[in-house]
Amino acid sequence: MHSLIDFSALTKDEREDLFTLASSIKARPGDYNGALHGKIMGTLFYEPSTRTRLSFETAMLRLGGGTIGFADPNASSVSKGESLRDTVKIVAGYADITVIRSPVEGAAFAASLYSDAPVINAGDGAHLHPTQTMMDIFTIRERFGKVDGLTIGICGDLKNGRTVHSLIRALSEYENVRYVLISTPELSVPQYILDCIAGRDVRFASSLEESIGELDVLYMTRIQRERFASEEQYEKEAHVYVLDRAKLDRAKDSMIILHPLPKVDEISPEVDDDPRALYFEQAKNGLYVRMALVMRLVQAGRAPVGRYECGERYCPNPRCVTNHERALPVLVENGVCRYCDTKV
Ligand code: NCD
């Protein structure tokens, strides 16, 4: 493992190793002080973030390393028109590992092509968010001791939520997971994600109230306002699914509620005090899984950068990095764009 772009690309052994290490860091954090002494993390955040950036930076500081980077691209040379490729190459010269978040789909994968330092995808547009998935699955495992056989409901913006896409894909690596996908027709899961769970036990639902009783895990999500074309379209979809006390009364006592956060109004404040609400614990777990991941990637070290022939623009997805950056190679696998998973 040289970079983390997509959680479901990890082998079972790599996943197990990361979760075991994260558990041991959580149990005895002091043992890992100074594990990455003298190492530097570069954080390139082209999109807003609170938890993800702060937890990555905290992870590196707790391991004894340091951090450089930006939280606002307008305060960097990006505002002068510098390409992703140049920025990434420069930062790889300064830092031992790069964490990148971008509104553009496939940006982290593109960065990994040009960086000899390991790259972590901290969210690429509406595409994927693999480290969020690590903390989601870590939290499920901590509570149930397993992922296999659970019924997992995912509710809200299944179209634009990158945490949803990463999670659905990753859960397909486990046995007999039942998916209950709860959304309006407009915000249902994109086809390329459904393709990953073809043949699985999947139920599409429109009512949270009617579905909640069968769930072991309820994963609530925010309607992704920033991905809508207009405020009017957002308002049509907002406030449809709200988890409140009355709905929670229909859930199993053993069910857990997860949310990648930030939450807006999809969970009523009174739910925070319910013992089933695990989202603050889940956010805390983000620190331990990121410490584990950063340790493993920095220990694995640098890898040589390939040489690529650059080609014409080819991807029909306007949000794909190949339509935003010059000088990216044409990479199509099984008729699918390697950067953003769109059919070509
Ligand atoms: C998520 C994201 O950025 O995709 N936030 C996070 O990293 N915890 C979820 C969201 O913004 O709704």
Side-chain angles (χ1 to χ4, degrees), residues 48 51-52 101 129 132 162-163 222 224 226 259-262:
R51 271 152 295 273
T52 304
R101 166 171 287 190
H129 191 350
Q132 178 65 47
R162 55 192 170 198
T163 67
R222 173 179 74 87
Q224 307 278 300
E226 66 277 25
H259 191 305
L261 303 179

Side-chain angles (χ1 to χ4, degrees), residues 17-34:
D17 169 63
L18 286 169
F19 289 135
T20 306
L21 181 57
S23 297
S24 125
I25 295 172
K26 186 171 182 179
R28 290 177 306 281
D31 290 2
Y32 297 86
N33 286 347

Side-chain angles (χ1 to χ4, degrees), residues 254-292:
S254 58
M255 188 192 79
I256 62 171
I257 309 159
L258 301 181
H259 191 305
L261 303 179
K263 54 187 168 72
V264 183
D265 61 0
E266 59 278 8
I267 297 184
S268 298
E270 75 264 15
V271 173
D272 290 357
D273 298 323
D274 192 285
R276 290 169 284 191
L278 283 200
Y279 31 87
F280 294 114
E281 181 68 16
Q282 177 191 5
K284 202 165 96 188
N285 286 337
L287 175 63
Y288 308 117
V289 299
R290 289 182 174 121
M291 285 173 79

Side-chain angles (χ1 to χ4, degrees), residues 209-210 212-214 245-252 276:
E209 205 161 4
E210 283 163 22
I212 197 166
E214 62 186 282
R245 164 85 18 231
K247 291 193 193 83
L248 200 48
D249 283 345
R250 305 170 73 126
K252 293 185 202 169
R276 290 169 284 191

Side-chain angles (χ1 to χ4, degrees), residues 32 35 71 79 104 111 125 136 154 195 222 233 235 243 247 251 256 259 262 279 287-288 290 316 319 323 326 337:
Y32 297 86
S79 64
V104 175
D136 300 342
I154 308 181
D195 289 345
R222 173 179 74 87
Q233 285 179 20
E235 276 304 325
L243 178 64
K247 291 193 193 83
I256 62 171
H259 191 305
Y279 31 87
L287 175 63
Y288 308 117
R290 289 182 174 121
R319 299 189 294 190
N323 292 315
R326 288 181 297 140
C337 172

